[in-house]
Amino acid sequence: KCKTGPLDIVFVIDSSRSVRPFEFETMRRFMIDIIGSLDVGPNATRVGVIQYSSQVQNIFSLKTFFQRADMEKAINSIVPLAQGTMTGLAIQYAMNVAFSTTEGARPPHKKIPRVAIIVTDGRPQDRVSEVAAQARAAGIEIYAVGIQRADMSSLRAMASPPLEEHVFLVESFELIQQFGKQFQDKLCGADLCMERDHGCQHSCVSIPGSFYCECNPGYRLNADGKTCSPMDACADGRHGCEHQCVSAHGTYSCRCRTGYYLNQDKKTCTMIDYCGFGNHSCQHECVSVPSGHYCRCRSGFTLQADSKSCRANDLCNGVDHGCEFKCVSAEGSYRCICPDGQQLQADGKTCNKCGAGHVDLVMVIDGSKSVRPQNFELVKQFVNRIVDLLDVSPHGTRVGLVQYSSRVRTEFPLNKYATADEIKKAVMNVEYMEKGTMTGLALRHMVEHSFSELEGARPLSHNVPRIGLVFTDGRSQDDISEWARRAKESGIVMFAVGVGKAVEEELRAIASEPVEQHFSYSADFTTMTHLVENFKLNICPEEGKGEMEIRSPCECEALVQFQTNTVAILESLTERNILWGDVSLTRALAQMTARLEALEKQVANKN
């Protein structure tokens, strides 16, 4: 057997019409004998066979068979083409197709010799010298075997140098089998790995006339061509490991950082859920981290020294306080508060509003140049604090807004918005006008337009009070007396609010009687918050009852309603007492209940 190392051999067989059937059989025998002397296999010698005449036919490629029996069966099944002799075409096919890596040839860097054995009996009908030179330049070693009528010059044009070792002429097909034995010796040659001190660190591979060194899997050959170094399988960056790549013996494995475990894909990592073990003892929440876990408290609580339990540091965030406006935490307790101008009700949670009746309120604000932009923002906040006092709805209180300077502009009429939130948003979007102070013109606009039914004022027959509030910071540039008088004559209750350089004489002229209850003044924009409370105290008594029916408090229905409301308040106070354990509140509740029962008996006796 040929033991000099692996080869990639392709037989290129002439099956033109000049080759008679019995002669073709000797060519089959020649190929089978040569293959029989080779150590064939995927990692040893690979063999392919093509036949040609006027065309080329692939019998089997280098990757098709790795057992001699399979190769012999395929060779014995060849049917000759019996046409012309296109040898150049066959060499072209061998170079471009048969010796390609897709057809099973080993890559050039593996240094596996590529050998083409051309067997022909005639003169080529196409050019061979040029294509043969290209094949040799591509690294293919060509042996040219001619039989009987073969053209020697064509054989020499095809074969690799030295020609005396690669060109053979056999006188007859009968002698080709005997020639095959000689050719085997020529093809195999000496095993230089056995005869020389090759110096290969791992293994030596013999090839005809030479040898090369090869490294074991997981190692690469060094520049000296003999020694080997371990390959870093992680170095090319294609490993796909999420955390760490560990290289060993030419391969790699993925590893996770501390606190993570490797997933089933052997590449990605997932953090260990230490909280999932169920032994953390955290009162509120457990948080897993790569190094273990820690306890965390919910919002409004503070983690204690044991790093597990939690204590409420803001009861407003820790309980359902139910405060309508705002909750204020105290040490171990909390209380509800209301906006400026509103008072906390008996339930300790809700705030009172001017909601007992309905009004149509139009606010007329000064947007002149003297106000200045930053103060105008304070004016808008003042307006919104007044809105907070009101029970705004289409059937309750309606609010309109007018701004004036040298001209007058309706920002929104009485019928524009149905909720306090809508009004407050619209107020904050109002743009500052600047320029002059035409207060008289603004009063006229309010009387003629703002309180018209077209802009949302309810008819006078509905007995809904109309209230006008004028806000100014300086002397008017026009006369105000006529339209201030007309406003009051038309039934509008006028309030005048002055700031800074506002003229008291003009404010009094605008205000309704009694004047002291209907005009207010503040020296500075930043200190005018107290005016809201003044306005509330004066506007709430003016709320109209609309068309509501007024009942006698002594009627049975009124008494029942009073009793129901009182019981509800008592129940609320009792719940608070149970929650906080106030002894003084307990006594007060008992006394109040007793007095109510006594009043009920008195009413019953009178009835």
Side-chain angles (χ1 to χ4, degrees):
K1 301 296 182 184
C2 193
K3 298 292 185 181
T4 56
L7 303 170
D8 285 344
I9 298 178
V10 175
F11 289 95
V12 184
I13 303 303
D14 181 355
S15 64
S16 59
R17 67 172 63 92
S18 62
V19 180
R20 288 170 287 186
F22 74 91
E23 294 174 336
F24 193 80
E25 292 304 316
T26 61
M27 295 176 67
R28 290 186 211 269
R29 192 72 258 163
F30 168 73
M31 288 187 286
I32 291 172
D33 288 344
I34 296 295
I35 293 172
S37 67
L38 302 173
D39 182 19
V40 298
N43 298 318
T45 294
R46 299 183 183 183
V47 179
V49 175
I50 62 176
Q51 68 165 333
Y52 73 93
S53 59
S54 298
Q55 59 188 8
V56 181
Q57 181 186 36
N58 182 49
I59 304 303
F60 58 86
S61 64
L62 293 168
K63 66 179 180 180
T64 305
F65 301 122
F66 299 113
Q67 300 291 331
R68 276 188 291 274
D70 295 329
M71 296 178 186
E72 290 180 12
K73 183 177 179 181
I75 290 171
N76 287 326
S77 301
I78 298 174
V79 177
L81 298 172
Q83 296 175 359
T85 310
M86 302 294 286
T87 309
L89 180 65
I91 297 173
Q92 184 80 42
Y93 181 89
M95 176 176 63
N96 293 340
V97 180
F99 280 110
S100 66
T101 54
T102 57
E103 290 296 305
R106 265 74 62 101
H109 72 269
K110 289 199 175 278
K111 299 181 181 179
I112 305 298
R114 296 181 176 183
V115 179
I117 302 174
I118 302 173
V119 183
T120 180
D121 79 325
R123 181 187 299 274
Q125 295 176 338
D126 57 355
R127 296 181 179 180
V128 296
S129 57
E130 183 177 342
V131 69
Q134 293 175 359
R136 294 193 299 268
I140 301 173
E141 185 177 7
I142 301 176
Y143 288 88
V145 181
I147 303 174
Q148 287 185 341
R149 300 170 295 278
D151 179 56
M152 179 57 74
S153 63
S154 297
L155 297 176
R156 294 172 66 88
M158 291 186 284
S160 297
L163 296 179
E164 59 271 17
E165 295 183 7
H166 292 83
V167 177
F168 304 93
L169 183 61
V170 183
E171 294 179 358
S172 67
F173 281 95
E174 291 80 4
L175 298 174
I176 193 171
Q177 196 166 354
Q178 181 181 354
F179 159 75
K181 295 182 176 60
Q182 300 172 6
F183 185 75
Q184 290 173 19
D185 295 336
K186 180 68 67 176
L187 186 64
C188 290
D191 187 348
L192 296 182
C193 288
M194 299 294 292
E195 296 181 358
R196 294 185 183 180
D197 181 13
H198 51 75
C200 297
Q201 182 179 356
H202 284 181
S203 59
C204 176
V205 180
S206 290
I207 58 176
S210 184
F211 71 91
Y212 65 91
C213 297
E214 195 171 63
C215 295
N216 295 336
Y219 293 81
R220 65 171 179 270
L221 195 64
N222 293 327
D224 60 8
K226 296 180 180 294
T227 58
C228 301
S229 297
M231 293 173 59
D232 184 0
C234 299
D236 60 6
R238 295 181 295 178
H239 48 78
C241 298
E242 183 178 0
H243 284 184
Q244 301 168 354
C245 177
V246 180
S247 179
H249 306 297
T251 185
Y252 70 90
S253 61
C254 296
R255 187 164 60 192
C256 297
R257 294 191 294 270
T258 302
Y260 294 79
Y261 63 86
L262 195 65
N263 295 324
Q264 291 185 349
D265 60 7
K266 302 299 182 184
K267 292 181 180 291
T268 59
C269 301
T270 298
M271 189 172 71
I272 297 172
D273 182 11
Y274 291 100
C275 295
F277 298 156
N279 58 352
H280 52 77
S281 302
C282 297
Q283 182 180 354
H284 283 184
E285 300 171 358
C286 176
V287 181
S288 287
V289 293
S291 58
H293 76 278
Y294 66 90
C295 296
R296 183 172 62 192
C297 297
R298 292 192 292 271
S299 177
F301 292 81
T302 301
L303 193 66
Q304 299 303 293
D306 62 1
S307 299
K308 294 182 179 181
S309 58
C310 301
R311 178 182 175 185
N313 54 2
D314 185 353
L315 284 177
C316 289
N317 289 327
V319 299
D320 183 13
H321 53 77
C323 296
E324 179 183 351
F325 177 68
K326 187 176 181 181
C327 176
V328 178
S329 291
E331 181 63 31
S333 180
Y334 71 90
R335 61 188 176 88
C336 299
I337 62 172
C338 294
D340 290 344
Q342 298 187 35
Q343 293 181 344
L344 195 65
Q345 298 298 289
D347 62 4
K349 295 183 179 182
T350 59
C351 304
N352 69 324
K353 294 183 178 181
C354 292
H358 311 149
V359 298
D360 288 343
L361 171 64
V362 175
M363 288 181 275
V364 182
I365 59 175
D366 185 350
S368 62
K369 187 176 182 180
S370 60
V371 174
R372 299 183 182 277
Q374 63 271 27
N375 290 331
F376 190 73
E377 293 301 314
L378 295 176
V379 172
K380 292 195 290 186
Q381 294 175 20
F382 172 81
V383 170
N384 278 345
R385 295 178 75 170
I386 291 175
V387 174
D388 283 331
L389 300 174
L390 308 173
D391 185 16
V392 177
S393 70
H395 301 292
T397 294
R398 299 180 184 180
V399 178
L401 183 65
V402 173
Q403 182 186 178
Y404 73 95
S405 59
S406 298
R407 56 190 178 87
V408 183
R409 181 173 71 200
T410 298
E411 300 295 351
F412 52 85
L414 288 166
N415 57 4
K416 178 69 173 179
Y417 299 113
T419 67
D421 287 341
E422 291 177 327
I423 292 172
K424 291 166 70 174
K425 183 178 179 181
V427 169
M428 296 313 296
N429 289 331
V430 170
E431 295 183 358
Y432 179 35
M433 293 176 68
E434 299 191 57
K435 298 189 179 179
T437 310
M438 303 294 285
T439 310
L441 183 64
L443 289 169
R444 177 178 181 177
H445 180 91
M446 179 192 71
V447 173
E448 293 183 343
H449 300 285
S450 300
F451 280 108
S452 66
E453 293 184 26
L454 182 64
E455 293 201 3
R458 282 163 284 197
L460 293 173
S461 61
H462 286 194
N463 196 29
V464 176
R466 296 180 175 182
I467 298 177
L469 187 151
V470 179
F471 183 98
T472 181
D473 83 321
R475 183 181 297 276
S476 176
Q477 295 174 339
D478 61 351
D479 179 61
I480 65 166
S481 58
E482 179 183 356
W483 286 102
R485 177 179 54 77
R486 288 196 185 189
K488 288 176 280 189
E489 289 176 354
S490 67
I492 302 172
V493 179
M494 295 299 298
F495 287 85
V497 177
V499 178
K501 296 181 179 179
V503 179
E504 182 178 353
E505 180 184 350
E506 291 184 355
L507 296 176
R508 289 179 172 275
I510 295 172
S512 295
E513 296 290 342
V515 173
E516 298 300 331
Q517 294 182 11
H518 291 82
F519 100 92
S520 303
Y521 174 80
S522 178
D524 187 78
F525 283 91
T526 58
T527 60
M528 64 184 182
T529 54
H530 69 279
L531 301 180
V532 176
E533 181 64 21
N534 293 342
F535 181 72
K536 178 196 172 185
L537 293 174
N538 289 300
I539 193 175
C540 286
E542 299 292 340
E543 289 181 335
K545 301 298 187 294
E547 297 177 348
M548 294 171 55
E549 180 183 359
I550 301 176
R551 291 179 174 178
S552 168
C554 293
E555 289 184 0
C556 181
E557 292 83 355
L559 288 171
V560 171
Q561 183 63 47
F562 170 75
Q563 184 181 36
T564 302
N565 293 343
T566 304
V567 170
I569 294 173
L570 283 172
E571 288 177 350
S572 174
L573 291 172
T574 303
E575 289 177 2
R576 292 178 63 200
N577 180 45
I578 293 172
L579 179 63
W580 302 113
D582 191 332
V583 177
S584 61
L585 182 59
T586 302
R587 288 197 296 268
L589 286 171
Q591 293 172 2
M592 187 180 297
T593 303
R595 291 185 63 185
L596 284 171
E597 289 175 351
L599 287 170
E600 286 178 353
K601 289 179 181 179
Q602 292 178 20
V603 172
N605 292 333
K606 288 182 178 180
N607 287 341

